[in-house]
Every structure is written in C-alpha cells, then in structure tokens.
Amino acid sequence: MPTQKAIIKFGLILACLLILMPGCSLRPNANKEQEPQASSQAQADLDPNRYLYPAFTQVEKHENIVYANKPNAKGSMEKLLLDLYEPAQDSLKARPVLLMAHGGSFSYGSKSDMAKFADVFAKMGYVVISADYRLRDNANEDWTGAVNDAIDDMGSLYDWIEQNGAEYGIDPGKIAVSGESAGGELTLTFMNAGDRIWKSRDKSHIFAVINLYGPMSSPHEIDPQDPPVLFIHGTEDRTADYGETLKMVKQHQAKGVYTELYTMEGEGHGTDKYWTDVLFEMTQFLHKTLLKHWSPDLTIKEGPVLVSSRGDRFRITLEQKAEKSGEIRVKAPDSWEVQEKDDKDGAVQYEISVPSETSRDYYPVSFQLSDKKGKVAADTSLYVNLKNPLELTLKPGISTDGQNKLVNIL
C-alpha cells in the first residue's frame, strides 16, 4: 500500500509542476466523486485537505505593496515593498498567512527570491507574503546594525498585517514566519527580540517558525513561550555550519520549545537535491501547528494526516517523553476497533481497524495522556483520510528536475 508521505509528495510535485505550467489543471473529472471541499470558514478550519494538497490551480499576486518608509544606512528614505500571493477565487475571508524572508547576508537578495515557495503554498490555501527589508552594501562592517534594521522591518511587516490583513483575507491571529539563509536567521532573531519588538505586539499570533539553513551569528535569548520551530539544514553546507543548527535545536528544546529538525544528507547551502522533501516537511509542520495537533510530550510519528481505505487496518505510533507517564486514552469513531500493540522505549503502537461500510471522509483519532489524578497532561490527534480501496493505486508522477521525466513516486 502506498505510504501517506508518498501520496502527499505526489500532490506537492503536481503543485511544483503548476509553477512551470500555469495552464494545466488539477480539477477532477466532473463524473468522479470528489473530495470534500471547503465552502465556509468553519469547514476550512476543520478540513485538513486544504493545507496539505494543492487545492487551487491559480494564484493571484499583488506586487510591490508599500508596507513602510524608513531611512536606510545611507541616510535616505527607502520604500519597503512586499509581494502578496493568495489562492485565486478563494471564498474564505480569514486565512493563515506565511511570511517568507529571503537570504543574502543582509547585503543582497530580493522578495522575488521566495516566489517558488510562495506559489506552492498559496495553491495549498495560504496567503503568502515575501517582503524586502533594508540591506547594506557591506553588512559585515556593522552586522549588528544590519540585523537590527531587518528585525525592525519585520516588526513593521507584522504591523502592516494587523492593520491591512483583512483587506486581503488574512487572519492576523494565524501567522507563520520562515526564511532561508540570512532570512532564517532573521526569523529567529525577530522572534527573540524581546521588548524591543514584542512589548506592544502579541507574539501568540505566530503559530510556527521555519528556519531554512539559517546561521545564528547574532546572540539572542530564546523565549520559552516561542511557537514550534522547524530547522531544515544540509550536512555539507559550507556557508552556514550544520553543527550550529544542531546546537540551536538543543537550545530550543532545553527551553521547552517544541522543535523539529529535518536533515538533508549531503546537501549544501540550499534545497536543490531535496526540494520535494523540504516542501513535504514544511507542509506537515505548518499543518499540524496551525491546527494545534502537536504536543511536546506526546507526538504521532505518522504526522497529522494518514491515508487509509474502508475495511483496512493501519497502525499509529505514539511517542511520549520518558518522564511523562500515565494512562493513554484513545478516541476513535464509533465501531472502529482499536488494539494496543508494541510498547517499548516510550513508543506505543495502536492497530486500528476500519469497518468496510464506513463512509469515505476525514475522521479524527485523538490521544490523551492523563496523570494519576486523571488530569490531562498532554493530548494530540490526527485525521484519517478514508478513501475507496481502488483509489489507492500506483500511478506516475512528474519529477521536478526540470526535465519533466515520468517517475513512479509511489
């Protein structure tokens, strides 16, 4: 049976193809039974399909919007611009927004550098903003000043979303920040800038942080109240040391911040060899943090969504911290059979049987860890995307290596 990861990757590869071939369509055959579609804000909040697969075929781009005017290092006023990407013909009025910061050592780079990422995630249902920030001809001469300028610009971008987000269908209470290289460093320093940035702003509006191979050359204190952080880095990076990322992961975990690391074996400073895998990891991370289907003490190895079929059996692996002990309660749909299997090294496997007469739909399965007094100490959940058995068949996908070769990704 094809894995859940392979199926989601198939959708991601199709999304990548749409960047190169804007005329192609993912609309299903009119005579074929379709997946549940989001028709209201409430359905979108509950429907996991929206933010895991390319639900839209076209993206509307709003270019060169001024979000601030500030003096730069040369003493002249500079207009700071953003590009905003949104799914075309989307009926939702309050959507999560993904901020993306470009790299370039705070000396070069542009908002257009993140267009490839922005196009993919807009087709999944997010609003995506890629913004310019103040740069310096030689940031190394005053690295602290260059970083501080960029941090202040991120604060202004945050303010612009608060003041203007509704005009573009943005929910200002659901913000994710991400960046590559220097942009990755910027996301972390922005999150931990203390009262300078956050005294008059609400950090709880940010639900996720993603650092793509960003170094940490500026000292900062990690806030234990930070949202979950995903680090993505290549082992052969000669620009930003992979070992420094390992240290940052441990530092965040020591502060109690939920942290994940995706290692790109043999990759340098970028994602060339791992483009589809990186999209998959980012998609999974954003989805489960957006829906709050995560817990630092209780995690589901298979991720937030698992694909199965009617009449089938599947296993879910639940991992818990060793110091967190107690009773685990599983809540599944009525008539679904749940059996506990292996239990070792803090991981428990549950085998779940789905009756053959179950309707084709999304179903939640939740887990709660209770202490000796019956108080819930941790909880997490996932959705089961139940399909017809004949839908889970092997089929070709299209590679993203630029040659459009057919490959069997399942």
Side-chain angles (χ1 to χ4, degrees):
M1 179 178 293
T3 65
Q4 171 246 0
K5 182 172 182 177
I7 291 173
I8 293 179
K9 278 189 179 180
F10 177 65
L12 291 172
I13 288 179
L14 287 178
C16 296
L17 179 64
L18 288 176
I19 299 173
L20 301 175
M21 301 173 61
C24 71
S25 173
L26 291 179
R27 291 189 178 91
N29 188 295
N31 296 322
K32 184 179 178 181
E33 185 180 5
Q34 297 186 18
E35 294 288 346
Q37 295 295 314
S39 58
S40 69
Q41 187 67 48
Q43 284 183 333
D45 288 341
L46 294 174
D47 181 7
N49 186 55
R50 178 182 172 94
Y51 302 111
L52 280 173
Y53 301 92
F56 300 87
T57 59
Q58 300 294 328
V59 171
E60 185 175 356
K61 182 180 179 182
H62 309 269
E63 295 184 271
N64 298 323
I65 300 172
V66 178
Y67 73 90
N69 283 279
K70 295 184 179 183
N72 58 29
K74 296 179 180 179
S76 58
M77 295 301 293
E78 181 176 344
K79 288 184 179 180
L80 298 178
L81 307 176
L82 65 85
D83 291 341
L84 185 147
Y85 303 73
E86 62 174 322
Q89 299 180 341
D90 185 13
S91 62
L92 297 189
K93 304 302 181 185
R95 301 163 294 183
V97 60
L98 173 62
L99 307 185
M100 308 207 76
H102 66 80
S105 301
F106 300 100
S107 292
Y108 59 93
S110 165
K111 54 186 171 59
S112 62
D113 296 345
M114 308 306 292
K116 190 175 179 181
F117 281 104
D119 198 279
V120 171
F121 284 101
K123 285 173 180 171
M124 291 186 190
Y126 292 94
V127 175
V128 185
I129 292 177
S130 179
D132 287 334
Y133 50 89
R134 285 173 292 176
L135 305 173
R136 303 195 178 200
D137 292 337
N138 189 351
N140 289 326
E141 293 180 353
D142 182 9
W143 188 262
T144 300
V147 174
N148 285 341
D149 279 354
I151 291 173
D152 290 340
D153 295 345
M154 286 288 284
S156 297
L157 182 58
Y158 182 99
D159 296 339
W160 183 90
I161 292 173
E162 292 279 341
Q163 297 163 9
N164 302 280
E167 179 182 348
Y168 296 93
I170 293 173
D171 182 348
K174 295 179 180 178
I175 302 173
V177 295
S178 65
E180 64 174 3
S181 192
E185 176 177 354
L186 175 57
T187 62
L188 293 181
T189 52
F190 170 67
M191 291 303 300
N192 294 283
D195 287 347
R196 175 182 174 188
I197 290 293
W198 297 111
K199 186 175 182 179
S200 59
R201 300 179 177 95
D202 190 348
K203 187 189 286 192
S204 68
H205 290 177
I206 298 179
F207 68 87
V209 179
I210 300 177
N211 179 0
L212 291 145
Y213 42 89
M216 189 44 61
S217 51
S218 303
H220 67 284
E221 291 292 330
I222 297 171
D223 183 353
Q225 302 302 314
D226 274 354
V229 183
L230 169 64
F231 291 88
I232 299 175
H233 208 144
T235 58
E236 299 302 316
D237 192 336
R238 297 294 180 261
T239 302
D241 185 15
Y242 172 71
E244 291 299 315
T245 288
L246 295 180
K247 292 180 183 178
M248 285 191 286
V249 169
K250 292 180 180 179
Q251 290 168 355
H252 279 77
Q253 291 174 338
K255 290 288 187 177
V257 177
Y258 180 78
T259 309
E260 292 187 8
L261 169 66
Y262 177 65
T263 297
M264 300 180 289
E265 293 290 344
E267 180 63 282
H269 195 65
T271 61
D272 293 344
K273 301 175 184 176
Y274 287 84
W275 168 243
T276 303
D277 289 314
V278 166
L279 288 182
F280 174 79
E281 296 296 331
M282 292 177 65
T283 300
Q284 292 275 293
F285 183 78
L286 288 170
H287 179 269
K288 67 183 175 184
T289 52
L290 173 63
L291 298 185
K292 300 188 184 302
H293 290 167
W294 64 275
S295 167
D297 301 319
L298 200 65
T299 58
I300 299 172
K301 185 177 181 180
E302 288 75 14
V305 174
L306 184 148
V307 178
S308 187
S309 63
R310 299 182 294 179
D312 197 8
R313 292 193 304 270
F314 59 88
R315 289 196 176 192
I316 296 175
T317 304
L318 196 65
E319 299 174 334
Q320 64 186 84
K321 287 188 176 181
E323 64 271 18
K324 296 289 183 179
S325 60
E327 178 186 1
I328 295 178
R329 298 176 182 176
V330 184
K331 184 178 180 181
D334 293 341
S335 74
W336 289 29
E337 182 180 346
V338 180
Q339 293 184 340
E340 183 176 330
K341 293 297 183 179
D342 302 329
D343 183 357
K344 60 179 181 179
D345 299 328
V348 184
Q349 276 201 338
Y350 295 91
E351 184 174 89
I352 299 180
S353 301
V354 182
S356 58
E357 65 273 12
T358 308
S359 300
R360 177 178 178 273
D361 207 338
Y362 294 98
Y363 294 89
V365 177
S366 61
F367 301 85
Q368 287 188 342
L369 176 64
S370 302
D371 60 22
K372 295 180 181 180
K373 296 182 180 180
K375 182 180 179 181
V376 176
D379 64 273
T380 189
S381 60
L382 87 165
Y383 280 89
V384 178
N385 183 359
L386 211 58
K387 294 179 174 288
N388 293 323
L390 290 180
E391 290 182 89
L392 299 181
T393 56
L394 299 182
K395 49 189 170 182
I398 300 178
S399 69
T400 56
D401 59 3
Q403 301 177 22
N404 294 334
K405 294 179 180 178
L406 290 178
V407 293
N408 189 346
I409 65 168
L410 301 181

